[in-house]
Amino acid sequence: MTATVDAAGRRGGVLVVDFGAQYAQLIARRVREASVYSEIVPHDISATRVRDRRPAGLILSGGPESVHTSGAPRLDPEILSLGIPVLGICYGAQLLAHELGGKVDRSGLAEYGRVELHVTGPGTVVSADLPADQQVWMSHRDAVVRPPEGAAVTAVTADSPAAAFEHPAGLFGVQFHPEVAHTPHGQRMLENFLYEACCCAPAWTPDCIVETSVAAIRAQVGAGRAVCGLSGGVDSAVAASLVREAIGDRLTCVFVDTGLMRAGESDQVRETFGGDGFVFVDAADRFLAALAGVADPEAKRRIIGELFVRVFEAEARALGDVDFLVQGTLYPDVIESGGDVAARIKSHHNVGGLPADMRLELTEPLRNLFKDEVRLVGEQLGLPPEVVWRHPFPGPGLAVRIVGEVTRERVETVRAADAIVRAEIHRAGLGRDVWQVLAVLLEVRSVGVMGDERTYGHPIVIRAVTSADAMTADFARLPYDVLETMASRIVAEVSGVNRVAYDITSKPPGTIEWE
């Protein structure tokens, strides 16, 4: 577990045990916001593995099941005997009460949304210095109707007689969701658990991340050499900077022009990062040929992921004596690509798209970081603002912004539309307000009229979102005049396009990219 050691000599990290909650990632984010390292683990993690990880605390997430349902997820009961502070949230609280001899049942009405919480006694999590009456966010049918023997009820609602309880053994349960913004004092409650119950120090800071990452890179690479897949974006730039800090000129950065880059991007990367230790590879024909006739999004990602690795392997052979490949893989990439904790949403090219027989060993210094943490690390390392705050761009490039087959002509179409969308966002001064903005080319056609003549062209969809970490996102409320300018320019300037739409889907249920 990548974490710091606090003054008590205990690991400063917290494990978030996922019971299938829609908010598990958000819990981990909120812990990080308290400057404490967190990591999501599956609910079937063994007590032995937990003991070996030496976490300062455990947080049991919510989940859709009932503790009374056959096959509902359980926790290794020995975990509760390890002496590690545990906070159960919603289903996690019910499971905690159930395993310790309390009673979980249907109690009157189910509670969904905002609910009035009444603090009934002093506690560690729902502490005495919080308002006696406050709003919290509920989402449950079952409820803890009797806490475990020896546990004290610290808060109630109209339909939850044990909305919060605490056990002297360092076990805490809350029926509500402190991790969501709709529980105004929820972050304070989480911090009470982290700082008071777990004795965590708020030490997960950018300088700590840099120090920890550099030490880990040196330990892994040793006296070896590495190549870094540099895209020009903040992720690969920060990863390269960390590895450069660790091993100096034994790192070579390789930029691969896949032919799927945004307008002017290749030239910009060469201008920003070119020089000693930088290699430019023009592989556009190779990538486009490999994608010919391929329409399935997962197939596109796998093809691109494997081709990237093969190009890097070839460059490593040319350099001689290179054993490591540096990637800017982030925690959301790992989560969305699936595994023990989460279902696969889409295989990120740098996770699920990697070939099984790749020769180079991966070095991924950002693998446990969210995007906003990467930006803070970038600032700590002194990277220029235009790199740190660059809008995210997927590794597969424009290939996943083309619904259907990727052809050179279709790439040029979406590239031209994308350039207009980005130009107008920055012209309107919205570059820092929007997390990501992009154009998507659809496979369907629509009828239009241009110059008094019938057209049968393709629609472009504009997508702009706001987010903190890409795990969740909301569509950006762009001004109508900005959207109008984008649409007018795209139809007038991009050949073969006669209609523009705006995507107002949040994540979830949609993803940010269309493929």
mmCIF file of all heavy atoms in Angstrom, residues 409-432:
data_model
loop_
_atom_site.group_PDB
_atom_site.id
_atom_site.type_symbol
_atom_site.label_atom_id
_atom_site.label_comp_id
_atom_site.label_asym_id
_atom_site.label_seq_id
_atom_site.Cartn_x
_atom_site.Cartn_y
_atom_site.Cartn_z
ATOM 1 N N GLU A 409 -10.259 9.950 -43.903
ATOM 2 C CA GLU A 409 -11.212 11.032 -44.182
ATOM 3 C C GLU A 409 -12.029 11.374 -42.941
ATOM 4 O O GLU A 409 -12.248 12.553 -42.619
ATOM 5 C CB GLU A 409 -12.138 10.618 -45.321
ATOM 6 C CG GLU A 409 -13.169 11.684 -45.673
ATOM 7 C CD GLU A 409 -14.137 11.219 -46.761
ATOM 8 O OE1 GLU A 409 -14.264 9.996 -46.971
ATOM 9 O OE2 GLU A 409 -14.771 12.084 -47.381
ATOM 10 N N ARG A 410 -12.491 10.346 -42.204
ATOM 11 C CA ARG A 410 -13.311 10.586 -41.019
ATOM 12 C C ARG A 410 -12.471 11.225 -39.902
ATOM 13 O O ARG A 410 -12.970 12.044 -39.126
ATOM 14 C CB ARG A 410 -13.951 9.296 -40.532
ATOM 15 C CG ARG A 410 -14.863 8.631 -41.572
ATOM 16 C CD ARG A 410 -15.706 7.527 -40.965
ATOM 17 N NE ARG A 410 -16.829 8.104 -40.243
ATOM 18 C CZ ARG A 410 -17.511 7.482 -39.272
ATOM 19 N NH1 ARG A 410 -17.139 6.272 -38.897
ATOM 20 N NH2 ARG A 410 -18.531 8.060 -38.679
ATOM 21 N N VAL A 411 -11.204 10.854 -39.822
ATOM 22 C CA VAL A 411 -10.313 11.485 -38.846
ATOM 23 C C VAL A 411 -10.177 12.969 -39.145
ATOM 24 O O VAL A 411 -10.242 13.815 -38.233
ATOM 25 C CB VAL A 411 -8.932 10.802 -38.834
ATOM 26 C CG1 VAL A 411 -7.940 11.613 -37.991
ATOM 27 C CG2 VAL A 411 -9.032 9.387 -38.281
ATOM 28 N N GLU A 412 -9.989 13.318 -40.415
ATOM 29 C CA GLU A 412 -9.853 14.735 -40.781
ATOM 30 C C GLU A 412 -11.131 15.507 -40.446
ATOM 31 O O GLU A 412 -11.073 16.662 -40.013
ATOM 32 C CB GLU A 412 -9.532 14.859 -42.267
ATOM 33 C CG GLU A 412 -8.144 14.372 -42.660
ATOM 34 C CD GLU A 412 -7.042 15.111 -41.920
ATOM 35 O OE1 GLU A 412 -7.225 16.296 -41.566
ATOM 36 O OE2 GLU A 412 -5.980 14.501 -41.665
ATOM 37 N N THR A 413 -12.282 14.874 -40.622
ATOM 38 C CA THR A 413 -13.556 15.543 -40.324
ATOM 39 C C THR A 413 -13.676 15.865 -38.846
ATOM 40 O O THR A 413 -13.972 17.003 -38.452
ATOM 41 C CB THR A 413 -14.740 14.657 -40.763
ATOM 42 O OG1 THR A 413 -14.682 14.445 -42.177
ATOM 43 C CG2 THR A 413 -16.073 15.316 -40.415
ATOM 44 N N VAL A 414 -13.466 14.865 -37.986
ATOM 45 C CA VAL A 414 -13.629 15.102 -36.551
ATOM 46 C C VAL A 414 -12.507 15.995 -36.017
ATOM 47 O O VAL A 414 -12.723 16.784 -35.090
ATOM 48 C CB VAL A 414 -13.703 13.763 -35.781
ATOM 49 C CG1 VAL A 414 -12.351 13.091 -35.654
ATOM 50 C CG2 VAL A 414 -14.333 13.967 -34.417
ATOM 51 N N ARG A 415 -11.326 15.914 -36.614
ATOM 52 C CA ARG A 415 -10.222 16.778 -36.195
ATOM 53 C C ARG A 415 -10.566 18.247 -36.457
ATOM 54 O O ARG A 415 -10.320 19.122 -35.603
ATOM 55 C CB ARG A 415 -8.941 16.393 -36.928
ATOM 56 C CG ARG A 415 -7.746 17.273 -36.561
ATOM 57 C CD ARG A 415 -6.521 16.862 -37.347
ATOM 58 N NE ARG A 415 -5.963 15.609 -36.866
ATOM 59 C CZ ARG A 415 -5.592 14.592 -37.629
ATOM 60 N NH1 ARG A 415 -5.748 14.664 -38.959
ATOM 61 N NH2 ARG A 415 -5.084 13.505 -37.097
ATOM 62 N N ALA A 416 -11.137 18.538 -37.612
ATOM 63 C CA ALA A 416 -11.500 19.916 -37.954
ATOM 64 C C ALA A 416 -12.590 20.436 -37.025
ATOM 65 O O ALA A 416 -12.538 21.583 -36.556
ATOM 66 C CB ALA A 416 -11.942 19.991 -39.415
ATOM 67 N N ALA A 417 -13.583 19.589 -36.732
ATOM 68 C CA ALA A 417 -14.659 20.007 -35.831
ATOM 69 C C ALA A 417 -14.137 20.223 -34.418
ATOM 70 O O ALA A 417 -14.507 21.192 -33.737
ATOM 71 C CB ALA A 417 -15.768 18.957 -35.835
ATOM 72 N N ASP A 418 -13.263 19.326 -33.974
ATOM 73 C CA ASP A 418 -12.679 19.434 -32.637
ATOM 74 C C ASP A 418 -11.888 20.731 -32.483
ATOM 75 O O ASP A 418 -11.955 21.397 -31.441
ATOM 76 C CB ASP A 418 -11.770 18.230 -32.386
ATOM 77 C CG ASP A 418 -11.024 18.319 -31.072
ATOM 78 O OD1 ASP A 418 -11.617 17.975 -30.032
ATOM 79 O OD2 ASP A 418 -9.847 18.754 -31.076
ATOM 80 N N ALA A 419 -11.145 21.102 -33.515
ATOM 81 C CA ALA A 419 -10.354 22.339 -33.451
ATOM 82 C C ALA A 419 -11.253 23.558 -33.281
ATOM 83 O O ALA A 419 -10.925 24.491 -32.528
ATOM 84 C CB ALA A 419 -9.503 22.475 -34.717
ATOM 85 N N ILE A 420 -12.395 23.560 -33.945
ATOM 86 C CA ILE A 420 -13.340 24.680 -33.828
ATOM 87 C C ILE A 420 -13.919 24.733 -32.421
ATOM 88 O O ILE A 420 -13.982 25.805 -31.785
ATOM 89 C CB ILE A 420 -14.463 24.544 -34.874
ATOM 90 C CG1 ILE A 420 -13.898 24.767 -36.281
ATOM 91 C CG2 ILE A 420 -15.597 25.518 -34.576
ATOM 92 C CD1 ILE A 420 -14.871 24.423 -37.389
ATOM 93 N N VAL A 421 -14.336 23.587 -31.900
ATOM 94 C CA VAL A 421 -14.933 23.532 -30.562
ATOM 95 C C VAL A 421 -13.953 24.039 -29.507
ATOM 96 O O VAL A 421 -14.293 24.866 -28.647
ATOM 97 C CB VAL A 421 -15.380 22.087 -30.247
ATOM 98 C CG1 VAL A 421 -15.722 21.943 -28.771
ATOM 99 C CG2 VAL A 421 -16.580 21.701 -31.103
ATOM 100 N N ARG A 422 -12.713 23.577 -29.566
ATOM 101 C CA ARG A 422 -11.717 23.995 -28.574
ATOM 102 C C ARG A 422 -11.376 25.472 -28.715
ATOM 103 O O ARG A 422 -11.207 26.187 -27.725
ATOM 104 C CB ARG A 422 -10.459 23.141 -28.706
ATOM 105 C CG ARG A 422 -10.663 21.696 -28.236
ATOM 106 C CD ARG A 422 -9.362 20.916 -28.173
ATOM 107 N NE ARG A 422 -8.762 20.754 -29.480
ATOM 108 C CZ ARG A 422 -7.540 21.137 -29.816
ATOM 109 N NH1 ARG A 422 -6.772 21.761 -28.927
ATOM 110 N NH2 ARG A 422 -7.059 20.928 -31.020
ATOM 111 N N ALA A 423 -11.296 25.942 -29.964
ATOM 112 C CA ALA A 423 -10.974 27.358 -30.184
ATOM 113 C C ALA A 423 -12.051 28.264 -29.594
ATOM 114 O O ALA A 423 -11.742 29.291 -28.963
ATOM 115 C CB ALA A 423 -10.807 27.622 -31.677
ATOM 116 N N GLU A 424 -13.308 27.890 -29.778
ATOM 117 C CA GLU A 424 -14.398 28.734 -29.278
ATOM 118 C C GLU A 424 -14.519 28.685 -27.754
ATOM 119 O O GLU A 424 -14.886 29.676 -27.129
ATOM 120 C CB GLU A 424 -15.722 28.332 -29.937
ATOM 121 C CG GLU A 424 -15.771 28.618 -31.433
ATOM 122 C CD GLU A 424 -15.498 30.086 -31.772
ATOM 123 O OE1 GLU A 424 -15.866 30.969 -30.956
ATOM 124 O OE2 GLU A 424 -14.898 30.358 -32.829
ATOM 125 N N ILE A 425 -14.191 27.531 -27.159
ATOM 126 C CA ILE A 425 -14.188 27.438 -25.698
ATOM 127 C C ILE A 425 -13.155 28.400 -25.116
ATOM 128 O O ILE A 425 -13.412 29.139 -24.161
ATOM 129 C CB ILE A 425 -13.897 25.990 -25.248
ATOM 130 C CG1 ILE A 425 -15.152 25.140 -25.381
ATOM 131 C CG2 ILE A 425 -13.373 25.950 -23.807
ATOM 132 C CD1 ILE A 425 -16.235 25.443 -24.365
ATOM 133 N N HIS A 426 -11.959 28.400 -25.698
ATOM 134 C CA HIS A 426 -10.899 29.272 -25.185
ATOM 135 C C HIS A 426 -11.162 30.738 -25.529
ATOM 136 O O HIS A 426 -10.838 31.622 -24.728
ATOM 137 C CB HIS A 426 -9.547 28.815 -25.716
ATOM 138 C CG HIS A 426 -9.104 27.504 -25.117
ATOM 139 N ND1 HIS A 426 -8.696 27.392 -23.812
ATOM 140 C CD2 HIS A 426 -9.038 26.255 -25.650
ATOM 141 C CE1 HIS A 426 -8.391 26.128 -23.550
ATOM 142 N NE2 HIS A 426 -8.581 25.414 -24.650
ATOM 143 N N ARG A 427 -11.778 30.989 -26.687
ATOM 144 C CA ARG A 427 -12.122 32.373 -27.052
ATOM 145 C C ARG A 427 -13.128 32.953 -26.055
ATOM 146 O O ARG A 427 -13.088 34.137 -25.736
ATOM 147 C CB ARG A 427 -12.698 32.407 -28.475
ATOM 148 C CG ARG A 427 -12.831 33.837 -29.029
ATOM 149 C CD ARG A 427 -13.711 33.854 -30.277
ATOM 150 N NE ARG A 427 -13.310 32.834 -31.230
ATOM 151 C CZ ARG A 427 -12.339 32.979 -32.145
ATOM 152 N NH1 ARG A 427 -11.645 34.098 -32.172
ATOM 153 N NH2 ARG A 427 -12.062 32.010 -32.997
ATOM 154 N N ALA A 428 -14.019 32.083 -25.545
ATOM 155 C CA ALA A 428 -15.030 32.524 -24.585
ATOM 156 C C ALA A 428 -14.489 32.572 -23.156
ATOM 157 O O ALA A 428 -15.223 32.938 -22.232
ATOM 158 C CB ALA A 428 -16.241 31.591 -24.650
ATOM 159 N N GLY A 429 -13.208 32.201 -22.970
ATOM 160 C CA GLY A 429 -12.612 32.242 -21.638
ATOM 161 C C GLY A 429 -13.099 31.140 -20.716
ATOM 162 O O GLY A 429 -13.084 31.277 -19.487
ATOM 163 N N LEU A 430 -13.534 30.005 -21.295
ATOM 164 C CA LEU A 430 -14.110 28.916 -20.508
ATOM 165 C C LEU A 430 -13.157 27.729 -20.347
ATOM 166 O O LEU A 430 -13.552 26.685 -19.854
ATOM 167 C CB LEU A 430 -15.414 28.432 -21.164
ATOM 168 C CG LEU A 430 -16.532 29.466 -21.294
ATOM 169 C CD1 LEU A 430 -17.685 28.912 -22.113
ATOM 170 C CD2 LEU A 430 -17.019 29.890 -19.908
ATOM 171 N N GLY A 431 -11.899 27.903 -20.774
ATOM 172 C CA GLY A 431 -10.961 26.790 -20.760
ATOM 173 C C GLY A 431 -10.756 26.170 -19.395
ATOM 174 O O GLY A 431 -10.605 24.948 -19.278
ATOM 175 N N ARG A 432 -10.745 26.975 -18.323
ATOM 176 C CA ARG A 432 -10.524 26.445 -16.981
ATOM 177 C C ARG A 432 -11.830 26.042 -16.302
ATOM 178 O O ARG A 432 -11.818 25.319 -15.300
ATOM 179 C CB ARG A 432 -9.778 27.468 -16.120
ATOM 180 C CG ARG A 432 -8.328 27.683 -16.515
ATOM 181 C CD ARG A 432 -7.445 26.531 -16.082
ATOM 182 N NE ARG A 432 -7.235 26.502 -14.641
ATOM 183 C CZ ARG A 432 -6.233 27.103 -14.009
ATOM 184 N NH1 ARG A 432 -5.342 27.810 -14.689
ATOM 185 N NH2 ARG A 432 -6.100 27.013 -12.709
#
